[in-house]
Structure formats: C-alpha cells, structure tokens
Amino acid sequence: MIKIGLIGFGAIGRCVIETLPKALTEEYEVIGILTRKAADNWVNNIPSYSDIDQLLAKQPDIIVECAGHHAVKEYGCKILEANISLVISSIGALADSVLYQQLKDSSTASKAKIYLPAGAIGGIDALVAAKLGGIHDVTYTMRKPPKAWQGSVAETVVDLNSLKQATVIFSGSAGEAATLYPKNTNVTATIALAGLGFDETKVELIADPNIIDNIHEISVSGETGYFTIVLKGKPSVYNPKTSALTAFSVTKCVADFGSSIII
Ligand SMILES: NC(=O)c1ccc[n+]([C@@H]2O[C@H](COP(=O)([O-])OP(=O)(O)OC[C@H]3O[C@@H](n4cnc5c(N)ncnc54)[C@H](O)[C@@H]3O)[C@@H](O)[C@H]2O)c1
C-alpha cells in the first residue's frame, strides 16, 4: 500500500487525484492534502490540512508538491528529512542553487528520493541519456502569444499590444532567464538540470502574435547525435497557465515510485 500526500489542490493536484487510478496498479491511499483553504466537496473523502505537520503525521510514503516555488522552499527539506519521497512540480524553485543543495543533502541524509517530472515538456529522457554520452549544445525556445508575457519584464522590452510578428524578447542563459522571468522557470530549470546546467543552457523567449497555444522547442547536439523536439501543449482545463501534460507527468512520477517496471 502506497500512502500519498499532496501539497496544493489546484490544476495539477486535481488532475493527479483523477489520474492515479489509471496510473497506479498497486494499492494506494491518498492520505491527505495540504491546502490553503478547506478542500471542496469534490474531495470530501480525502482529509485536507492547513499545517504540514498534520500531513507528515499521517506518514505518507511520497508527497506531491503542486503548489508553487515557495512551497518547495518552505516544506521540501522537512519532508525529505522525515524520510518521505518528494515529487516537485515547481522545478523552477531549484534555480536557487542553495535550495537545490539543501534538498539534495536532505535526500542524501535520508532514504527519500526527489522526483522531478518532465512536466510541460518532453524529451528529458533523451537529454539525460545524451548527456552521459556527451552533449555540446542545448537550446530551449519558448514561444508564447504576447498576452502570456504580460506582467513580465517583456513589457519593458517590446510593446506587446502592437506586435505583428514573432519577436525575441530574451536570449541568454537559463540562469539569466530564471532571474528575469521567474514565472517561466519551471521548464527552463528542468532542461538546465537535465542537461548542461543553468550557465550553459541557451534560452530564447519569443512573443508570437500568430499563435494561440504555447510552443516549446528543445534542440540538443552531442556525441550521440542531434535531436529537436517541438511540443505544442494544450492548457489544463483547470488552469490556462498550466499545460495539460504537466499533471500527467507528475502522476507518472508517483507511478514510478510504486512500480517494479519503470519506463
Ligand atoms: N514543471 C512544469 O512544467 C510545471 C508546469 C506548470 C506548473 N508547474 C508548477 O506547479 C505549480 C502548481 O500548478 P497548478 O497549475 O496546479 O497551480 P494552481 O494555481 O492551479 O494550484 C496551486 C494550488 O496550490 C495551493 N497552494 C499554494 N501555496 C500553497 C501552500 N503553501 N500550501 C498549500 N497549498 C498551497 C493554491 O491555493 C492552489 O490551490 C505551479 O505553481 C508551478 O510552479 C510546473
């Protein structure tokens, strides 16, 4: 029996709960959800808590963070130190190298593992494998409609309302991208951590008035060859800012935790 806890019950949390029956062949129980407000009737059979210690007291085997970067910072080490494995949805939090090391140390000190899902993108398996053979270049291009960049530093780079063609609003390292565009760091951080790191991973951010959905492109070259993956994700039905794919990828991590065969 796998005991599962959640932090956050938004777009990803809801979809994880919905998908677990399909993803897990082993017996499991969702022992509780840490929420900011009492969960609604939809999950009235799952206890919701407002304090992390209440959730930890239920002794879950694995906790899924799907709340935000601050939740990783606030609860991550405490969870791992309690010997509970952790799935981190908000991977952008790991752009903070101090927090990254603290989480790694906490995991090393206990038997608990940290699972980082591919999230909104794909090709991470190929990137991690290619890295072992030697990679020379990783470039990530994130293309979004202009309105998706509103409220970001892009507003000081271009006039988002009058764009007629695709325009590069940022070109630089993954580390610089994480600093300048903190709300867009999840995918950038995932690619950086899987591949060449924050300094050497190249990132290009584009505002494109001719698209509706977000388009991610990852190009990798190395000793084993070359690949480009283009992923046009549909938004989650619960949160238009989150790709629908993300929650399924997060659920896959929970399935991996409980599986004897991992693919
Ligand atoms: N890896 C990826 O590709 C990827 C993609 C999309 C989102 N994300 C991350 O996943 C997170 C969740 O995404 P979402 O679409 O479900 O967001 P959401 O806004 O729909 O839901 C987040 C939920 O978490 C709750 N919450 C926030 N802080 C909390 C806390 N400290 N304790 C308990 N509950 C808390 C909120 O009340 C909300 O209900 C995002 O913040 C983002 O960092 C990652």
Side-chain angles (χ1 to χ4, degrees):
M1 166 77 81
I2 303 167
K3 296 201 303 185
I4 302 164
L6 261 74
I7 301 175
F9 189 62
I12 295 176
R14 280 169 189 269
C15 187
V16 167
I17 299 285
E18 283 173 352
T19 313
L20 279 172
K22 201 198 295 187
L24 274 175
T25 46
E26 299 74 13
E27 265 191 77
Y28 74 91
E29 183 190 359
V30 180
I31 50 82
I33 305 175
L34 184 71
T35 56
R36 276 184 165 158
K37 49 186 186 298
D40 62 23
N41 290 333
W42 192 80
V43 283
N44 60 5
N45 55 339
I46 302 173
S48 68
Y49 302 111
S50 56
D51 188 324
I52 187 71
D53 291 327
Q54 294 172 308
L55 186 66
L56 298 186
K58 302 288 280 189
Q59 299 184 312
D61 300 302
I62 185 163
I63 287 180
V64 180
E65 172 280 317
C66 39
H69 295 185
H70 58 278
V72 179
K73 191 165 189 171
E74 209 174 326
Y75 310 125
C77 289
K78 191 166 190 175
I79 291 167
L80 294 161
E81 282 157 14
N83 198 18
I84 298 165
S85 288
L86 176 64
V87 181
I88 297 178
S89 301
S90 304
I91 299 176
L94 305 186
D96 175 347
S97 57
V98 175
L99 178 61
Y100 177 89
Q101 195 56 48
Q102 286 170 341
L103 290 165
K104 200 173 167 200
D105 291 346
S106 299
S107 168
T108 307
S110 70
K111 287 185 199 137
K113 299 276 184 212
I114 301 170
Y115 291 83
L116 303 182
I121 45 158
I124 293 300
D125 53 346
L127 174 54
V128 172
K131 182 182 173 182
L132 296 175
I135 43 175
H136 311 309
D137 188 83
V138 180
T139 302
Y140 167 52
T141 306
M142 183 194 282
R143 195 179 286 263
K144 289 185 173 185
K147 69 171 176 10
W149 296 109
Q150 276 165 2
S152 77
V153 74
E155 288 181 323
T156 65
V157 180
V158 290
D159 179 2
L160 292 167
N161 294 319
S162 64
L163 282 187
K164 296 278 181 287
Q165 60 189 25
T167 305
V168 176
I169 53 167
F170 171 84
S171 181
S173 72
E176 290 163 337
T179 306
L180 284 172
Y181 292 86
K183 288 187 181 157
N184 290 282
T185 49
N186 286 315
V187 172
T188 305
T190 305
I191 296 165
L193 291 168
L196 286 176
F198 285 92
D199 292 338
E200 287 184 54
T201 302
K202 296 172 193 159
V203 174
E204 199 159 80
L205 305 178
I206 295 174
D208 187 343
N210 302 311
I211 59 170
I212 297 166
D213 297 321
N214 301 342
I215 302 175
H216 307 276
E217 182 174 323
I218 307 165
S219 292
V220 177
S221 67
E223 295 298 311
T224 57
Y226 173 88
F227 72 85
T228 291
I229 175 163
V230 179
L231 212 140
K232 185 174 170 184
K234 285 189 182 174
S236 149
V237 290
Y238 298 120
N239 181 355
K241 287 186 180 166
T242 292
S243 298
L245 185 63
T246 308
F248 298 111
S249 168
V250 171
T251 311
K252 184 209 177 289
C253 289
V254 184
D256 286 351
F257 175 81
S259 294
S260 22
I261 299 178
I262 298 168
I263 184 162

